[in-house]
Amino acid sequence: MWGSLTPTHENNVSNTIGSKVYIRFSEYYFLILLVYPLLVALLRYDRLRSIRKTYGYTTRRSFAHMTDDDATEIQIAISQLEFPFTTQKALQFALFRTYGIPSISKLLVATSQFSELSTASKRYTDTEVLIREFMSHKPSDPRSLEAIARMNYIHSMYQKNGSIRDDDMLYTLSLFALEPSRWIERYEWRSLEPFEKCAQGTFWKSIGDAMGINYQKLKSAEEGWEDALQWLDELAEWSEQYEKENMVPHATNNKTAEQTVAILLWGIPGALKPFGERLVSVLMDDRLRTAMMYDKPSYPHFVFVSFVFTVRKFLLRYFFLPRPSMFRVHGLEGPDPNGRCSLSVWEAAPYYVKPTFWRRWGPQAWVSKSLGLPVPGDEGAKYHPEGYNIPDVGPKAFLGKGAESAKETVHGLAKTRTGGCPFGRVRAD
């Protein structure tokens, strides 16, 4: 029977089968388009609901009892799972913003930390390492204690001779405590909930306590604060006034800004770097831009940045499922059998990144090679591919120094950083 079919009949059969397959595919395609956004809508806030249920900080009164342990775990969820990209950029710009204060930028230039890109990149990575260490581990974890102790030792060398003022320390802390929530509010698919802001405030208040930062300039310094939200409000008010008085144009601001922008645009092709510099300038406000002695970008640059982040918000909110825990953005590895830790990511020079096959020959490595940039393992020991010991992190001038001081600091911190609540007052309401 089939042998008697004419070519016309064969074509008709083929067309009929093809039409059925197309219709069936269209049905499934339509079903996917319908179901997937519903699935995203169902799961997008799942982690937020889970965190709220797990920790139970649902009222302003409960915020007064938020522990440092809980705050740390909540901010880890924010920085590694919910908003890793924006949190990282916010912290980078928080550090960048401090360079708009001449007393801070002068010290960096005077100590040659920003005299050239290589030292600027090393200094940037050292700062990143110490911050990642105490942001990624519980308050009582030895790695967290060692990172704070090392940071305190380095700062103390400059505090003794008056190069770092108490106000500069408080201002820097204020930016790390305030900028992430501001950036998330501006650029992410949702804002932080009050309990998440409280967690960030609790976490950074505890870090400030461990650093011995003086809070006397804040309104409630004498009687204390009821919770982290009150502390953040007073910190924001003081920080704003501090900027008005101290964030002014200076040549050293511009010099540190130029080196930092070069780090931020490390992997950008040379032909695109002028455009990239314009976009970085868009992310500055007028006060910071003036202090850095940067020109204001043209209106189309602002439109472009706004468009990109608006599209990103929309896509993340309606088309992206929550990041699985296995894909958290951690950035740290180790310790290895030799007791050394390392970074698993790099944005500028690959300091402290171990040279695995993937890191030397994967996509990021090929992009770096095509731009003439180093990858992990290049140039021998220059980028410390063996990793780092926390007590050695920092400027070359401090290598091998401060070990005894750090041990004493760690011993003291172990008694105070027990994961409890860093606020003493109880709300009256």
Side-chain angles (χ1 to χ4, degrees):
M1 178 179 178
W2 291 105
S4 63
L5 287 175
T6 65
T8 301
H9 290 152
E10 290 179 357
N11 289 338
N12 288 338
V13 171
S14 298
N15 290 338
T16 301
I17 294 174
S19 297
K20 289 182 178 179
V21 170
Y22 176 77
I23 291 172
R24 182 62 57 86
F25 175 78
S26 299
E27 290 175 351
Y28 285 128
Y29 185 69
F30 176 76
L31 187 62
I32 291 172
L33 287 179
L34 180 65
V35 171
Y36 183 75
L38 294 176
L39 181 64
V40 173
L42 179 66
L43 298 179
R44 203 67 185 93
Y45 286 86
D46 190 56
R47 180 173 289 113
L48 175 61
R49 290 189 290 266
S50 176
I51 293 173
R52 187 188 290 116
K53 182 179 179 180
T54 298
Y55 298 101
Y57 296 110
T58 57
T59 66
R60 183 68 187 262
R61 187 176 183 84
S62 68
F63 294 172
H65 306 287
M66 182 176 286
T67 66
D68 196 11
D69 276 344
D70 288 349
T72 300
E73 291 177 4
I74 293 170
Q75 75 82 17
I76 285 176
I78 293 170
S79 62
Q80 296 184 9
L81 292 167
E82 286 285 270
F83 313 111
F85 172 80
T86 302
T87 299
Q88 182 182 22
K89 296 307 171 187
L91 294 174
Q92 288 174 343
F93 265 79
L95 189 63
F96 180 76
R97 194 174 188 87
T98 64
Y99 308 153
I101 307 297
S103 60
I104 296 175
S105 64
K106 287 178 183 177
L107 175 62
L108 292 171
V109 171
T111 56
S112 301
Q113 291 302 295
F114 278 84
S115 59
E116 57 183 70
L117 184 58
S118 60
T119 55
S121 182
K122 174 64 162 54
R123 195 265 182 187
Y124 171 88
T125 307
D126 286 338
T127 303
E128 177 189 7
V129 162
L130 296 178
I131 292 174
R132 279 187 185 273
E133 286 288 353
F134 63 68
M135 286 190 69
S136 301
H137 298 95
K138 283 190 173 184
S140 58
D141 189 282
R143 288 177 65 170
S144 176
L145 300 181
E146 286 186 358
I148 296 172
R150 183 58 174 172
M151 185 169 55
N152 285 357
Y153 172 75
I154 294 172
H155 287 160
S156 69
M157 296 296 100
Y158 299 110
Q159 288 173 306
K160 288 177 181 178
N161 60 22
S163 298
I164 295 181
R165 305 175 303 174
D166 286 348
D167 284 2
D168 293 338
M169 294 288 289
L170 181 58
Y171 174 66
T172 302
L173 179 71
S174 76
L175 295 181
F176 282 101
L178 296 165
E179 287 299 293
S181 62
R182 290 170 176 170
W183 276 62
I184 290 169
E185 176 79 28
R186 223 176 289 141
Y187 301 121
E188 275 294 350
W189 58 273
R190 73 168 176 88
S191 302
L192 291 183
E193 295 283 307
F195 83 90
E196 291 175 306
K197 293 180 180 179
C198 183
Q200 291 199 326
T202 301
F203 173 81
W204 286 106
K205 167 61 164 57
S206 177
I207 293 296
D209 291 344
M211 294 174 65
I213 289 180
N214 189 335
Y215 299 127
Q216 290 304 309
K217 295 291 180 71
L218 304 187
K219 288 182 178 179
S220 302
E222 293 299 326
E223 64 268 30
W225 298 271
E226 294 175 342
D227 57 32
L229 294 187
Q230 182 191 6
W231 181 75
L232 285 173
D233 287 342
E234 293 187 13
L235 194 62
E237 182 180 352
W238 176 86
S239 178
E240 173 68 15
Q241 186 59 38
Y242 176 86
E243 279 193 359
K244 288 180 179 179
E245 297 173 1
N246 295 277
M247 187 173 279
V248 295
H250 197 280
T252 55
N253 296 355
N254 181 261
K255 187 168 186 177
T256 55
E258 290 292 319
Q259 298 295 352
T260 306
V261 170
I263 294 171
L264 296 175
L265 302 178
W266 179 268
I268 303 297
L272 295 178
K273 284 191 176 180
F275 180 69
E277 290 172 358
R278 297 284 87 192
L279 299 187
V280 171
S281 186
V282 168
L283 297 175
M284 304 181 203
D285 56 74
D286 289 339
R287 181 187 296 158
L288 178 61
R289 195 181 300 114
T290 299
M292 296 298 197
M293 302 172 68
Y294 272 53
D295 294 329
K296 188 172 184 177
S298 63
Y299 180 71
H301 289 97
F302 284 90
V303 172
F304 176 79
V305 170
S306 177
F307 173 77
V308 169
F309 278 107
T310 299
V311 170
R312 180 179 179 273
K313 277 185 188 181
F314 179 80
L315 293 176
L316 287 175
R317 172 63 183 86
Y318 296 104
F319 293 96
F320 279 74
L321 293 169
R323 180 186 296 271
S325 295
M326 68 178 70
F327 295 133
R328 68 172 59 245
V329 181
H330 190 270
L332 298 176
E333 293 179 338
D336 63 17
N338 296 317
R340 289 184 171 274
C341 304
S342 58
L343 292 174
S344 59
V345 295
W346 75 99
E347 290 190 2
Y351 284 101
Y352 307 128
V353 181
K354 292 196 172 183
T356 63
F357 180 84
W358 179 257
R359 290 167 188 165
R360 285 191 59 78
W361 300 104
Q364 183 178 358
W366 279 109
V367 171
S368 295
K369 290 173 185 288
S370 69
L371 295 173
L373 300 175
V375 299
D378 281 359
E379 302 184 54
K382 179 177 180 179
Y383 300 112
H384 304 283
E386 74 281 3
Y388 60 85
N389 287 317
I390 295 176
D392 293 329
V393 172
K396 189 175 181 179
F398 296 118
L399 183 62
K401 299 178 181 178
E404 290 304 316
S405 173
K407 286 181 181 179
E408 292 179 9
T409 302
V410 167
H411 182 70
L413 291 175
K415 296 178 180 179
T416 58
R417 285 182 63 76
T418 56
C421 178
F423 297 96
R425 288 177 60 192
V426 178
R427 289 187 65 83
D429 56 308

